[in-house]
Amino acid sequence: MDAAADICDVAVIGGGPAGSTAATLLARKGYKVIALEKERHPRFHIGESLLPMNLPVFERLGVLDKVRAMGVFKPGADFEAKNERGYNNYAFSRAIGNSPPHSYQVWRQDFDQMLYEHARETGADAREGHEVLAVEQVSSRETRLEVLADDGRSYRIQARYVIDASGRDAFLASKKQLRRKNMEHQSAAIFGHFRGAVPRVGEDAGNISIYRFAYGWMWMIPLPDGVMSIGAVCRPEYLKQRKGRTAEFLLETLHQNAALKARLQRAELIGEVRVTGNYSYDSKQMGGPGWVLIGDAFAFLDPVFSTGVFLAMSGAEQAAEVVDTALREPKREAKMLRKMERRQRAGMARFSFFIYRFNGPVLTQMFRQPRNVWQLEQGVISMLAGDLFDSPKVLRRLSLFKVVYALTGLRNWRRWRSEHKYRLAQARAEITDGNTPLDKA
């Protein structure tokens, strides 16, 4: 043991939803946990729209009432359509799996801070403004971390296990050269917050609304106090046309969709317009003896279906079980890590099928003219709710949906082929002028 180091059972790098979840669960089991966040809460983060399958996780953590108090009730998602009201509604109450019938939309800086403070209240030693600079693994149960606090003090931590929840920093994956770019899909985003945009009415008032334009898709997310998060996920080629005109370019982009433009007539842009690029990546490996990657530190998908927080927190639950077992029964560690990675990759692959094809002609037609033959539409709603792991009924419908998609694609094969080639070409593009802290880094 290094007598000069802070000794703990588990060191958690990152204080976002994944890190706070893992720290809470392991502290609750009696482990000494040090949770390190390089910034100080509250700090900005995108990803305000939560999935229904988040709610059981919140309940197990003991924070569901807190989320309910800070969030906007989200009954479903709607997609632009050429009908009388202008959209098709995918209400979560129609899902066929075991997902809750609603979710919430939150200010992420408040949500992340609440989860981090909850981890501290549960017993984790949660340290803000403490950045991990280096990691040295001496053995499977001894890892040394070099930490720099924002007051200039540096010190060491010695941990039996390390959980990397560092988000898009992907700290360990980068150090171990595990991170790899997704060569099938790439996107970039430009977004801001508006006050005074027109909400949906009645039961659809809290919906996330999805629109399309020639270079990608757009979102409108209702937040507390009459604010909406509004932005566009674009092909990198399109966003490169910005040339420094960030706020103007965002408005010009949003105005390309007439229905969304109409909802912005009296809206006022508040705060900074942000740009971020090169979304999609994963890691070659999720874990090894004494370490594991969770959330965005392992992989990130396009945000079209708001999967980030759910995959992060559900993955953190799984990781906490792996770490607990590994520290008590080391012989089971490797098998449990493999099982967790297979499960996480399988769920991501099911989301990815829809994400990769969302801008293509086949899914465009399907979302605009949904049909519930064989409960396929309800299967898609369950996918939108995040029910992609443990419900055989949902998984069967999604497999059948792929067959229907293939048959539909054969009738539009020229357009499908053109979109497929364009998507792969854009996957090789780079965005180097984003203005979020991670892009600057």
Side-chain angles (χ1 to χ4, degrees), residues 113-125:
Q113 182 175 18
M114 177 273 293
L115 290 177
Y116 194 69
E117 290 175 351
H118 184 72
R120 181 181 287 126
E121 293 163 4
T122 306
D125 181 355

Side-chain angles (χ1 to χ4, degrees), residues 319-376:
E321 290 298 321
V322 171
V323 173
D324 176 41
T325 302
L327 292 177
R328 291 184 293 104
E329 304 175 64
K331 292 181 179 180
R332 296 181 58 193
E333 179 182 17
K335 183 177 180 180
M336 290 191 70
L337 280 170
R338 289 194 299 271
K339 181 179 179 181
M340 180 179 70
E341 182 169 346
R342 284 196 302 270
R343 185 179 192 273
Q344 197 75 358
R345 288 192 186 278
M348 289 168 52
R350 291 167 191 138
F351 275 127
S352 295
F353 175 85
F354 291 87
I355 288 170
Y356 293 171
R357 295 158 180 82
F358 185 70
N359 286 318
V362 179
L363 277 192
T364 298
Q365 177 184 337
M366 287 180 155
F367 274 100
R368 284 180 174 172
Q369 299 175 326
R371 299 176 61 192
N372 198 34
V373 178
W374 302 311
Q375 291 186 304
L376 292 185

Side-chain angles (χ1 to χ4, degrees), residues 196-200 220 228 262-267:
V198 177
R200 296 295 191 208
M220 297 184 76
M228 278 201 191
R263 295 179 66 183
L264 286 178
Q265 288 300 315
R266 296 179 177 83

Side-chain angles (χ1 to χ4, degrees), residues 76 104 132 140 187 271 273 304 335 360 379 381 396 428:
Y104 297 95
V132 178
S140 63
S187 57
V273 173
V304 63
K335 183 177 180 180
I381 292 172
R396 286 195 296 269
R428 295 189 290 272

